[in-house]
Amino acid sequence: MTAPTGLRHEDLTDADRALLRDPELAAEHERELELGQQLALLPDPEGGPTLAEVRAASGRRRRSPALWGGLALAAAALLAVQLGGDDMRNRGVPDGVGHVSLRAVAEGPDGRRALADGDAVRGDERVLFRAVVDGSGHVVLTQDGAAIHPISGRAEVQGGPWVPRDGGPLSWRPDDGRSRGEYRVWLCPEPSGSLDGCRSDGLVLHWTP
Amino acid sequence: MTLSAPHPHTSAPATDAELVARWMQGEEAAFDALFARHRGPVLGYASRMLQRREEAEEVCLETFARVVEGRYRPGGSFRSFVFTIAHRLCLDRLRRRGRWARVRTLFGGPAPLDPTPEAHALQDERCRRLDAALATLPEGHRSALLLYYKQELSSREVAEILGITDQQLRSQLSYARRRLRETLGPDDGRTP
């Protein structure tokens, strides 16, 4: 058990306070609190977004669901044709696991456009994802095999559309210099564990400057 | 009515809970006051977590945009709610930085600091050293220290935001303080 040193008074239990009667622990406690006070005095930066920007951003997010429907349908039609390779990947997945499809839209200065597997995304665009789930289970979105939403665990779904992060625009452009990313949504029977036995659907996007 | 000023019926500034209640009743100026109160701390938290001013501003913007969208439900503290959003947005971005960034962190190297105007403006050498030392910590420990000591959230609130138990939080804080002291040196960075 970790000693309660460095915790503020209001976060200490009676047992903690009893422990801190020890003179050595009490002295260490004071030193740790002093370090905490130094952290508390770190200045907050000036500036930042304005209220008008916040309200404008909120307005954009509220308008996005209406556009989603039509664009997602178009993307679905394209993906249905172009993602035949996923059938191979899903071989061996138990019959009880439902089906899932991933759709993507790029949003940029010129508006939005549906993305298909292999499409290029410009540097001034960001990508919005949406999955459609047939059946219940637990879903996760990955980028090159690493979970990006949810970051830990999986989101429970009961079928229907699943929109990562409540439909907020997502920008998944890798900033480590990679120009290609594979995005995949997984539908699993279990809330955690291996992705073996999960059905998936995905697409590859190429990032251009 | 100016909401940064005291509430007309009291001599003390309005609390977050009071402002939230007024905002819920349609008083938009109450949100303005909440924003003015929490923008700096949220931007500071995101800046120290992400070490990139531009990304921190985006996180700050998105945090409050989500608040405006009415996702706050009275119950827990407003501050805790705001920092829960900000923390998750920071994690999203840190995760997305890709493998090389993660490798850098694993080997304990400091994340690169953008030369922000704030960094130049930090007159206090001690603060600068403390900030630099914080940047060397793994993200989990950095967030624990910042939320608990800098933002002065309760240990329960911080544990909830980080999704860990109280004991795990104590352990993280203890480890993080030790790492911080090691980086700062024997006098905790008091002498430049």
Side-chain angles (χ1 to χ4, degrees), chain B residues 17-159:
Chain B
E18 289 165 347
L19 289 171
V20 166
R22 287 152 64 183
W23 179 40
M24 295 284 173
Q25 289 166 0
E27 191 181 327
E28 282 302 312
F31 174 76
D32 300 359
L34 285 166
F35 176 71
R37 181 176 292 173
H38 294 289
R39 176 180 60 177
V42 168
L43 183 60
Y45 179 72
S47 297
R48 291 185 169 100
M49 286 300 290
L50 298 169
Q51 301 290 306
R52 294 179 187 177
R53 171 66 187 232
E54 190 179 325
E55 278 195 87
E57 290 203 8
E58 287 173 7
V59 162
C60 187
L61 178 67
E62 189 167 352
T63 298
F64 286 101
R66 290 187 179 202
V67 174
V68 169
E69 285 162 17
R71 295 182 193 180
Y72 177 66
R73 296 288 177 272
S77 82
F78 180 79
R79 202 155 58 103
S80 173
F81 171 72
V82 166
F83 277 99
T84 299
I85 299 173
H87 176 70
R88 288 178 183 169
L89 291 173
C90 286
L91 282 192
D92 280 353
R93 286 170 182 268
L94 289 169
R95 298 283 189 272
R96 275 185 263 148
R97 283 186 182 173
R99 297 190 186 96
W100 288 111
R102 281 198 285 277
V103 168
R104 267 203 308 272
T105 306
L106 279 173
F107 282 90
L113 272 168
D114 281 349
T116 63
E118 288 71 36
H120 292 303
L122 286 176
Q123 299 297 319
D124 189 341
E125 175 68 7
R126 200 159 132 193
C127 285
R128 194 195 62 74
R129 293 184 67 187
L130 200 50
D131 259 331
L134 270 172
T136 68
L137 296 180
E139 68 194 43
H141 296 107
R142 198 172 350 144
S143 57
L145 283 181
L146 287 171
L147 291 170
Y148 187 71
Y149 291 113
K150 173 75 180 94
Q151 304 306 333
E152 299 187 336
L153 292 165
S154 72
S155 61
R156 184 182 55 77
E157 287 174 318
V158 177

Side-chain angles (χ1 to χ4, degrees), chain A:
Chain A
M1 188 177 137
T2 308
T5 51
L7 294 181
R8 290 188 297 271
H9 182 78
E10 62 270 24
D11 292 316
L12 295 172
T13 64
D14 289 342
D16 292 334
R17 293 189 187 103
L19 274 175
L20 290 173
R21 289 194 194 108
D22 176 87
E24 274 189 32
L25 265 185
E28 184 188 337
H29 180 55
E30 288 304 315
R31 283 195 302 275
E32 301 288 33
L33 279 178
E34 194 186 334
L35 181 61
Q37 282 164 4
Q38 289 180 47
L39 287 166
L41 293 174
L42 286 172
D44 288 324
E46 298 292 325
T50 63
L51 253 177
E53 289 170 332
V54 167
R55 293 192 193 283
S58 170
R60 281 197 300 276
R61 293 163 60 91
R62 281 177 176 153
R63 285 193 296 275
S64 65
L67 290 169
W68 259 115
L71 291 171
L73 283 173
L78 275 171
L79 290 172
V81 173
Q82 298 196 24
L83 293 182
D86 286 301
D87 289 342
M88 293 292 288
R89 189 185 292 269
N90 286 315
R91 279 188 183 173
V93 174
D95 288 339
V97 181
H99 290 265
V100 62
S101 62
L102 180 65
R103 296 145 186 200
V105 170
E107 181 189 61
D110 304 327
R112 293 185 174 187
R113 61 193 175 90
L115 291 171
D117 188 34
D119 273 357
V121 183
R122 297 193 308 270
D124 59 354
E125 291 180 312
R126 48 189 181 179
V127 180
L128 297 83
F129 291 101
R130 175 186 172 95
V132 175
V133 182
D134 176 16
S136 60
H138 304 269
V139 291
V140 61
L141 180 65
T142 61
Q143 174 186 314
D144 295 326
I148 50 176
H149 190 87
I151 290 165
S152 61
R154 293 167 189 161
E156 188 173 2
V157 290
Q158 300 296 332
W162 176 65
V163 183
R165 292 172 60 198
D166 300 324
L170 306 179
S171 177
W172 301 112
R173 179 184 175 84
D175 58 2
D176 59 355
R178 279 178 294 163
S179 61
R180 174 190 183 278
E182 184 187 13
Y183 302 89
R184 183 159 290 278
V185 64
W186 303 80
L187 174 63
C188 306
E190 302 296 334
S192 60
S194 165
L195 291 172
D196 293 337
C198 302
R199 198 176 296 279
S200 75
D201 186 27
L203 73 166
V204 169
L205 297 177
H206 297 275
W207 295 91
T208 59

